[in-house]
């Protein structure tokens, strides 16, 4: 039967259909030009690559399956990707790397804008084939939804020209990294269009796109040309030494309300559009943990990487007591869901999902 399956313009309208990732076969990828920053110098992960320990995969899958149960019980339809055997090299005419990674964080790979899903032009070589895990789903949506626009951003070549080599020299201090972020000096070059979908914050007619380690200026230009009727805003968060993905930094909860990572505040000049339109930007609560879990690339700020189900309901990681309390004070009904065992596989509750259908239409929140 032909029916409308894909529709989502933001991260806060009522969620009806979502993709939740799977941890199966996940690997720690070998170092490559775009990734070495996410492994701290003193981490036991340094130099380590290959399949992730099986017991960690099983624990992550238990929490992912539980998230599916929570969503299903609330009437949200859930689809799952089909993981590949990620422990295989990626070989193209332009590069070779020892293994792939995972399909756990669908939010990085798939960007839903209205009735379109775009397969992102990701900068990690180990993620070159990740979209294949979602192809069976996208193919089904295409067969069943006559309005579904299935797109792929120009496939990047990821040759050596796409990166600044030795960008992650171990001798570079945290202070110097912050100077680089402030100067918008990132590991990728402008050789080709590069972006992770999780760098794009969708708010109806406006896309706020983080320029950082995984998304370059050429991507912003591509979005401008692709969507001439939308407004594309480049945003930066100078307090972040490793700016990767906007969804642990700047997270809308409902029309008019955004939580902002207090260590990565949006600069004054970029706040104007929100303030002028009556939006409140609130500092997010402190994370409950001082360290991310073992073998995890992400920061403790996955505390704010929540999944909004509608303007009044949000899923927050169960151990993040300060974030739970803040959400409650902000007038949200909070559903705590344990998810820390899945963090190492690519992120939190928002990262682990990708929108298929939210009610609502394309609104102009910033006229
Ligand atoms: N994928 C979100 C990770 C952001 C962070 O590490 O803070």
């Amino acid at each position: 039967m032909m029916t409308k399956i894909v529709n989502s313009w933001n991260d806060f309208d009522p969620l009806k259909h979502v993709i939740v990732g799977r941890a199966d076969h996940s690997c720690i990828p070998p170092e490559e030009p775009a990734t070495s920053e996410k492994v701290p110098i003193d981490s036991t992960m340094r130099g380590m690559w290959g399949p992730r320990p099986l017991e960690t995969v099983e624990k992550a899958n238990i929490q992912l399956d539980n998230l599916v149960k929570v969503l299903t019980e609330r009437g949200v339809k859930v689809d799952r990707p089909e993981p590949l055997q990620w422990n295989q090299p990626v070989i193209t005419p332009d590069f070779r790397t020892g293994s792939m990674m995972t399909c756990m964080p669908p939010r990085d790979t798939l960007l839903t804008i209205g009735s379109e899903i775009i397969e992102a032009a990701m900068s990690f070589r180990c993620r070159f084939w990740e979209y294949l895990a979602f192809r069976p789903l996208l193919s089904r949506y295409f067969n069943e939804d006559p309005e579904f626009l299935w797109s792929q951003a120009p496939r990047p070549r990821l040759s050596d020209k796409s990166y600044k080599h030795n960008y992650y020299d171990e001798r570079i201090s945290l202070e110097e990294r912050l100077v680089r972020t402030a100067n918008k000096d990132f590991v990728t070059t402008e050789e080709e269009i590069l972006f992770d979908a999780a760098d794009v914050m969708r708010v109806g007619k406006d896309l706020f796109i983080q320029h950082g380690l995984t998304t370059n200026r050429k991507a912003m230009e591509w979005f401008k040309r692709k969507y001439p009727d939308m407004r594309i805003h480049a945003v930066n968060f100078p307090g972040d030494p490793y700016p990767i993905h906007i969804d642990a930094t700047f997270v809308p909860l409902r029309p008019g309300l955004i939580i902002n990572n207090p260590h990565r505040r949006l600069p004054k000049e970029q706040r104007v559009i929100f303030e002028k339109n009556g939006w409140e930007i609130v500092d997010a609560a402190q994370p409950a943990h001082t360290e991310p879990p073992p073998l995890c690339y992400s920061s403790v700020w996955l505390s704010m990487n929540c999944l909004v189900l509608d303007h009044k309901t949000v899923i927050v990681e169960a151990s993040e007591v300060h974030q739970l309390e803040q959400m409650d004070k902000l007038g949200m009904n909070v559903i705590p869901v344990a998810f820390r065992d899945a963090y190492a596989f690519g992120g939190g509750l928002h990262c682990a999902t990708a929108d298929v259908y939210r009610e609502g239409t394309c609104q102009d929140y910033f006229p």
Side-chain angles (χ1 to χ4, degrees):
M1 198 181 67
M2 299 296 254
T3 177
K4 188 152 182 63
I5 292 178
V6 178
N7 181 69
S8 177
W9 290 101
N10 55 55
D11 276 308
F12 44 68
D13 279 346
L15 183 67
K16 296 293 165 194
H17 188 172
V18 74
I19 297 171
V20 173
R22 286 188 197 274
D24 308 61
H25 312 312
S26 292
C27 290
I28 296 172
E31 271 190 36
E32 54 165 291
T35 62
S36 44
E37 85 294 353
K38 290 306 273 181
V39 184
I41 290 163
D42 54 356
S43 165
T44 48
M45 285 171 82
R46 200 84 188 175
M48 171 180 170
W49 65 278
R52 284 182 175 266
L54 189 58
E55 67 275 15
T56 66
V57 173
E58 286 168 355
K59 280 174 144 181
N61 272 337
I62 288 171
Q63 294 199 334
L64 285 157
D65 291 348
N66 181 54
L67 174 64
V68 172
K69 183 167 171 280
V70 171
L71 288 164
T72 310
E73 282 169 0
R74 300 193 72 92
V76 179
K77 183 173 159 52
V78 179
D79 285 333
R80 312 295 301 274
E82 287 182 20
L84 274 69
Q85 182 49 259
W86 302 114
N87 187 24
Q88 300 180 62
V90 183
I91 303 166
T92 78
D94 296 297
F95 70 86
R96 180 196 164 96
T97 191
S99 95
M100 293 180 273
M101 197 165 92
T102 182
C103 63
M104 206 300 271
R107 192 67 69 173
D108 304 353
T109 319
L110 302 177
L111 179 64
T112 311
I113 298 182
S115 57
E116 179 166 15
I117 296 181
I118 305 167
E119 296 166 0
M122 297 198 286
S123 62
F124 288 15
R125 290 171 170 173
C126 58
R127 307 190 73 177
F128 193 74
W129 298 121
E130 207 165 299
Y131 68 94
L132 294 178
F134 303 97
R135 278 286 169 98
L137 294 177
L138 300 191
S139 181
R140 175 157 64 77
Y141 303 161
F142 188 80
N143 291 341
E144 294 175 8
D145 177 354
E147 290 170 39
F148 170 46
L149 288 170
W150 181 1
S151 307
Q152 188 172 56
R155 290 291 284 154
R157 295 186 66 156
L158 305 183
S159 76
D160 286 348
K161 289 185 193 156
S162 294
Y163 310 99
K164 293 175 195 161
H165 295 275
N166 302 319
Y167 179 88
Y168 293 117
D169 188 320
E170 289 177 3
R171 288 161 297 189
I172 293 169
S173 65
L174 188 64
E175 289 69 34
E176 286 170 86
R177 285 185 199 283
L178 288 169
V179 171
R180 285 180 173 186
T181 306
N183 291 339
K184 299 171 191 154
D185 171 15
F186 301 116
V187 66
T188 53
T189 64
E190 295 295 329
E191 171 73 13
E192 57 185 347
I193 295 157
L194 295 171
F195 69 94
D196 275 11
D199 279 319
V200 182
M201 186 179 95
R202 307 162 302 135
V203 196
K205 203 173 158 57
D206 292 77
L207 300 180
F208 296 88
I209 307 182
Q210 173 169 247
H211 179 204
L213 295 169
T214 38
T215 293
N216 64 9
R217 301 290 305 191
K218 208 166 227 174
M220 316 262 176
E221 183 56 30
W222 181 76
F223 276 102
K224 277 186 188 158
R225 293 188 200 181
K226 178 164 173 56
Y227 296 114
D229 296 334
M230 296 181 81
R231 289 180 294 248
I232 313 299
H233 312 268
V235 286
N236 297 87
F237 300 91
D240 187 355
Y242 305 111
I244 289 186
H245 306 158
I246 199 166
D247 55 356
T249 296
F250 203 58
V251 175
L253 299 182
R254 58 177 179 252
L257 181 62
I258 296 195
I259 52 172
N260 188 188
N261 185 319
H263 293 193
R264 311 172 184 168
R265 285 207 179 93
L266 187 69
K268 212 167 152 207
E269 63 278 8
Q270 294 176 28
R271 300 171 87 90
V272 175
I273 182 169
F274 296 96
E275 290 164 354
K276 228 173 55 187
N277 288 283
W279 283 59
E280 197 185 352
I281 301 176
V282 177
D283 275 356
Q286 284 298 314
H289 303 269
T290 52
E291 296 286 336
L295 305 183
C296 178
Y297 290 105
S298 304
S299 76
V300 290
W301 289 99
L302 289 183
S303 54
M304 56 185 289
N305 188 265
C306 57
L307 182 64
V308 177
L309 298 190
D310 58 46
H311 296 192
K312 288 199 167 127
T313 316
V314 63
I315 303 183
V316 176
E317 207 288 322
S319 67
E320 292 295 347
V321 286
H322 308 306
Q323 194 55 76
L324 292 165
E325 188 185 338
Q326 182 188 40
M327 292 292 189
D328 183 57
K329 286 194 178 134
L330 290 170
M332 304 294 284
N333 299 316
V334 194
I335 306 168
V337 170
F339 207 65
R340 253 179 94 76
D341 290 341
Y343 278 10
F345 293 78
L349 291 150
H350 187 260
C351 306
T353 57
D355 283 20
V356 180
Y357 195 98
R358 285 185 191 261
E359 285 175 357
T361 53
C362 181
Q363 300 284 313
D364 187 353
Y365 297 98
F366 306 101

